[in-house]
Amino acid sequence: MPGAGPLGLVLTGGGARGAYQVGVLDWIARRYPWLEVPIVTGVSAGAVNTACVAAHPDGFGPGVGQLRGLWCDLTVDRVFRADFRSIGSTALRWGFRLASGGARAAPRVRGFLDTGPLREYLGSVLENEDGLIKGIGRNLEEGKLRAAAVAATSYSTNQSVVFVQGCDIVPWARPQRRTEMTRLTLEHIMASAALPMFFPAVRIGNEWFGDGGVRLTAPLSPALHLGANRILAISTRYDRSKAETAMPTVPGYPPPAQVLGSLLNAVFLDLIDQDALRLHRINELLDRLPADRRDGMRIVDLLVIRPSRDLGRLAAEFEPQLPRAFRFMTRGLGTREQKSPDMLSLLMFQQDYIRRLLEIGEHDAEARAAALDAFLAPLLPPRPDFSGPGPVAASGPS
């Protein structure tokens, strides 16, 4: 059986779908107001959520409350410049670049979208000094936090890099993966959240970094290495039925948006399921061995929460409300030809869509109340007058 703690929170990527994670976390924070989360890891949009949760001075619940406010105030123009001038000039530079044949005079291109507004917005929300997220260091000093980690992909070395800030952490390395002990900054968050092709890469030291999901083949790995005995992972991938999977989402030849969506799904949404299956099989093997023959390995309890609705298909309902210039660009890529525009859902930083994801996240967490009660009960102090959306079960871990 796994130990009671510490608890690790794993927040996967998914662009605008990260709002779903916040809905789940908000319900959990209200149901378990005394819950402590000493290990928090994230990638892409999950890195933004990680920074807010790990840095808040008053713990998990208030940190989630602040995070919800951040997402509720988020709009497309607070993430990237979506006016005709910005998108049009970027399109022209890309066009000249492709037609230049590699000439030295070819214009520089870094991403389809300018994410300067997101940097400015996160800088105003996160308590930072010269980019340094001070709240994380303060919580580590006070013992409220054990470690926070965000993953990014080095385009310079083709490695997956996990940036870790924590206490008494032993760095680890695997093929094409490495760990860097550091003090997390706004640049680390922007790098982890830099959607490939769409958002520009971020320079840290002598390397250029992009979205951490590109090469992070084991998203549970950071939490495991940081010492978590229980892991709560929140995915943004809807688990389609066999009938839904067999049904084509686009008639005829796939437009660019369909191809990009499939690639981004492979990067951000599919890996958590593979990693969870590996962990489950390792747990089964370890359970058959006596403790003295496990060679230092431990059984780790895992609970994954995922959307009950197809968030890509849902995005199509909100597409007409997007800014005109951005809508024009995405339609040119073929998003209107798809029944489930997954690529669009990653970029749908539209308030009505975000609020709907928050609602779905809350609903899904409530639907998993029994599993959450069983999973978290060993970590909670006994309180007979427990308050929240519902009673806590007295059962053991799932």
Side-chain angles (χ1 to χ4, degrees):
M1 296 296 290
L7 174 65
L9 178 63
V10 174
L11 302 173
T12 63
R17 296 186 185 203
Y20 171 81
Q21 297 174 346
V22 182
V24 174
L25 292 175
D26 189 44
W27 190 91
I28 291 173
R30 287 184 284 111
R31 185 174 180 89
Y32 315 101
W34 305 287
L35 182 65
E36 295 181 356
V37 185
I39 298 171
V40 191
T41 72
V43 59
S44 192
V48 176
N49 295 339
T50 291
C52 288
V53 171
H56 200 280
D58 297 323
F60 173 70
V64 172
Q66 181 193 43
L67 180 60
R68 184 186 178 96
L70 182 156
W71 279 90
C72 286
D73 290 339
L74 205 60
T75 57
V76 171
D77 56 6
R78 278 186 166 173
V79 178
F80 51 82
R81 292 188 171 88
D83 57 280
F84 275 106
R85 181 177 180 180
S86 177
I87 290 179
S89 62
T90 300
L92 286 173
R93 286 198 300 273
W94 274 93
F96 285 134
R97 176 78 181 185
L98 292 172
S100 69
R104 291 184 179 180
R108 284 188 166 284
V109 292
R110 294 190 174 181
F112 286 125
L113 302 168
D114 180 353
T115 54
L118 178 61
R119 183 188 302 274
E120 182 178 348
Y121 182 53
L122 290 180
S124 69
V125 173
L126 295 171
E127 182 187 2
N128 72 94
E129 184 177 297
D130 296 328
L132 184 68
I133 305 173
K134 295 193 298 181
I136 295 178
R138 180 178 58 238
N139 286 340
L140 286 168
E141 292 174 2
E142 296 177 359
K144 299 176 181 177
L145 184 70
R146 177 170 177 172
V150 299
T153 299
S154 172
Y155 292 144
S156 303
T157 65
N158 289 322
Q159 289 179 305
S160 175
V161 181
V162 180
F163 295 102
V164 180
Q165 185 173 354
C167 299
D168 302 323
I169 303 301
V170 178
W172 66 92
R174 295 292 185 270
Q176 293 303 309
R177 287 188 279 159
R178 76 175 195 264
T179 311
E180 286 196 9
M181 302 303 299
T182 187
R183 301 173 71 187
L184 292 176
T185 68
L186 187 59
E187 295 305 296
H188 293 108
I189 308 305
M190 290 295 297
S192 182
L195 288 168
M197 299 301 293
F198 290 100
F199 292 177
V202 176
R203 185 172 184 174
I204 300 175
N206 294 321
E207 297 179 57
W208 289 92
F209 290 89
D211 199 294
V214 173
R215 294 196 68 95
L216 186 63
T217 56
L220 300 177
S221 173
L224 292 170
H225 283 289
L226 293 173
N229 282 333
R230 291 173 182 270
I231 296 178
L232 174 62
I234 306 178
S235 173
T236 58
R237 176 184 178 272
Y238 168 68
D239 191 12
R240 293 175 178 170
S241 66
K242 289 184 178 180
E244 290 173 315
T245 303
M247 187 179 299
T249 60
V250 60
Y253 191 83
Q258 178 73 12
V259 177
L260 286 170
S262 296
L263 291 173
L264 294 174
N265 274 348
V267 168
F268 300 120
L269 306 182
D270 297 342
L271 294 177
I272 187 70
D273 299 314
Q274 300 170 21
D275 211 17
L277 179 60
R278 282 194 293 267
L279 180 60
H280 177 69
R281 288 177 174 172
I282 291 172
N283 281 343
E284 287 184 332
L285 291 173
L286 291 176
D287 193 43
R288 299 173 187 173
L289 293 174
D292 59 352
R293 296 188 59 191
R294 292 176 181 174
D295 196 23
M297 300 180 71
R298 65 191 187 278
I299 295 175
V300 177
D301 204 358
L302 171 67
L303 179 63
V304 180
I305 296 180
R306 64 179 73 258
S308 58
R309 290 196 58 182
D310 187 337
L311 304 186
R313 187 179 292 269
L314 182 66
E317 299 177 19
F318 297 89
E319 189 266 354
Q321 283 74 49
L322 284 170
R324 288 182 61 196
F326 180 63
R327 188 173 70 237
F328 184 82
M329 182 192 78
T330 57
R331 288 182 177 182
L333 291 172
T335 54
R336 295 277 285 191
E337 302 172 38
Q338 301 173 273
K339 296 179 181 178
S340 181
D342 289 329
M343 183 205 79
L344 186 63
S345 70
L346 302 177
L347 300 167
M348 181 69 76
F349 294 96
Q350 188 77 10
Q351 278 201 338
D352 47 6
Y353 180 66
I354 287 173
R355 291 182 184 275
R356 187 71 185 97
L357 295 191
L358 290 170
E359 293 172 359
I360 295 173
E362 293 175 12
H363 173 272
D364 290 350
E366 184 174 13
R368 299 293 304 278
L372 283 164
D373 287 344
F375 182 78
L376 297 175
L379 305 176
L380 299 170
R383 292 181 183 261
D385 59 341
F386 187 87
S387 61
V392 174
S395 58
S398 58

